[in-house]
């Protein structure tokens, strides 16, 4: 079983739409959670960390549900420039220096 | 340097050849990671260095893969007797290793390896 699972998509949405992705993780000892964004043929870049209480950064909201072992990313008012692959990353408590990546969810925002 | 630098950006080689990929992390970052990413997949962990030592090499697929970081800065990933299945983008990332930035990975642009 993979450490981190994501729906690969693609999610095709019109500009201005609200879209949400989920990511499930298998290890309840996971400590830290992140969303990374990866543009086509580019390296992953940190989008936001995910805190236990949930957190928001502009149009982006991340939430953590420890009981069900999933994290979510909500994007409001989608822009064309949001088109990318979104990678879910978990970092276990038992090994602070290990990072497990999901396969990514592809988002296409259409005009 | 200002960011993580990887060379070469692209490498095409023939099956059976030896390849070296280089990573120059952000200055002052003590932790360095190598990942491999195949098309449609997320980055797959290969090896992690804290300083000069390989703290975790559990992701190296077999003994054809080896990595060094002799002075605690630049790292080289070495692949012997390359196989077509080694074709992927090899990503290097660094972190501060401790403190507030310890769990924020900053990636280089990657080295795209194609084995013919």
């Amino acid at each position: 079983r993979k450490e981190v699972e994501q729906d690969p998509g693609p999610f095709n949405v019109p500009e201005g739409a609200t879209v949400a992705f989920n990511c499930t993780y298998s290890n309840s000892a996971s400590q830290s959670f992140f969303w990374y964004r990866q543009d086509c043929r580019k390296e992953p870049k940190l989008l936001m960390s995910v805190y236990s209480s949930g957190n928001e950064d502009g149009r982006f909201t991340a939430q953590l549900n420890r009981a069900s072992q999933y994290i979510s990313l909500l994007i409001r008012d989608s822009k064309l420039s949001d088109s990318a692959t979104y990678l879910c990353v978990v970092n276990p408590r038992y090994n602070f220096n290990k990072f497990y990546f999901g396969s990514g969810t592809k988002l296409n925002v259409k005009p | 340097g200002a960011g993580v630098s990887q060379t070469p950006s692209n490498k095409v080689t023939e099956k059976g050849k030896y390849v070296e990929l280089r990573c120059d992390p952000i200055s002052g970052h003590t932790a360095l990671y190598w990942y491999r990413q195949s098309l449609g997949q997320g980055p797959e962990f290969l090896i992690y260095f804290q300083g000069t030592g390989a703290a975790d090499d559990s992701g190296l697929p077999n003994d054809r893969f080896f990595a060094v970081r002799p002075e605690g800065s630049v790292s080289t990933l070495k692949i012997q007797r390359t196989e077509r299945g080694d074709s992927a983008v090899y990503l290097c990332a660094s972190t501060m290793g401790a403190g507030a930035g310890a769990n924020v990975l900053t990636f280089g642009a990657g080295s795209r390896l194609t084995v013919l």
Side-chain angles (χ1 to χ4, degrees):
Chain A
R1 185 182 173 187
K2 287 185 179 180
E3 293 276 346
V4 182
E5 304 247 24
Q6 293 183 251
D7 180 345
F11 285 62
N12 297 307
V13 303
E15 265 186 298
T18 295
V19 62
F21 316 130
N22 279 348
C23 157
T24 57
Y25 59 95
S26 60
N27 193 328
S28 60
S30 295
Q31 173 73 15
S32 304
F33 308 88
F34 310 88
W35 285 102
Y36 277 69
R37 172 194 167 124
Q38 187 170 27
D39 293 295
C40 189
R41 300 180 76 88
K42 299 286 189 181
E43 72 273 23
K45 292 183 179 177
L46 179 67
L47 177 66
M48 59 197 303
S49 302
V50 185
Y51 303 126
S52 296
S53 54
N55 48 300
E56 191 173 304
D57 183 2
R59 297 181 294 109
F60 298 82
T61 301
Q63 299 221 308
L64 168 64
N65 184 317
R66 284 193 185 273
S68 301
Q69 294 183 206
Y70 75 83
I71 68 173
S72 64
L73 178 67
L74 180 81
I75 306 175
R76 288 182 298 278
D77 188 22
S78 300
K79 311 289 184 193
L80 295 176
S81 57
D82 294 334
S83 297
T85 295
Y86 291 84
L87 297 161
C88 172
V89 184
V90 304
N91 178 215
R93 182 178 296 123
Y94 60 85
N95 188 339
F96 186 71
N97 292 296
K98 204 97 173 193
F99 297 87
Y100 294 102
F101 283 76
S103 296
T105 297
K106 187 167 175 57
L107 172 66
N108 296 317
V109 181
K110 311 279 189 182
Chain B
V4 178
S5 175
Q6 290 189 247
T7 55
S9 54
N10 277 287
K11 176 71 177 179
V12 180
T13 192
E14 292 179 345
K15 182 173 176 293
K17 298 290 188 185
Y18 170 79
V19 164
E20 285 191 355
L21 307 175
R22 174 189 164 107
C23 173
D24 193 350
I26 291 173
S27 178
H29 278 196
T30 59
L32 184 147
Y33 299 77
W34 283 100
Y35 283 83
R36 177 169 71 174
Q37 188 172 26
S38 301
L39 195 62
Q41 300 297 314
E44 173 195 15
F45 171 78
L46 296 177
I47 187 169
Y48 153 65
F49 288 89
Q50 181 62 258
T52 59
D56 185 345
D57 65 357
S58 61
L60 294 177
N62 51 59
D63 62 5
R64 295 187 298 105
F65 288 75
F66 190 69
V68 296
R69 195 186 184 199
E71 296 177 358
S73 179
V74 171
S75 175
T76 304
L77 178 66
K78 307 180 181 196
I79 311 174
Q80 297 178 322
R81 304 183 303 280
T82 51
E83 299 178 357
R84 291 193 182 89
D86 298 336
S87 297
V89 176
Y90 289 81
L91 292 163
C92 177
S94 67
T95 77
M96 292 177 64
N103 60 4
V104 177
L105 291 167
T106 302
F107 284 91
S111 292
R112 183 175 298 274
L113 175 65
T114 303
V115 182
L116 302 177

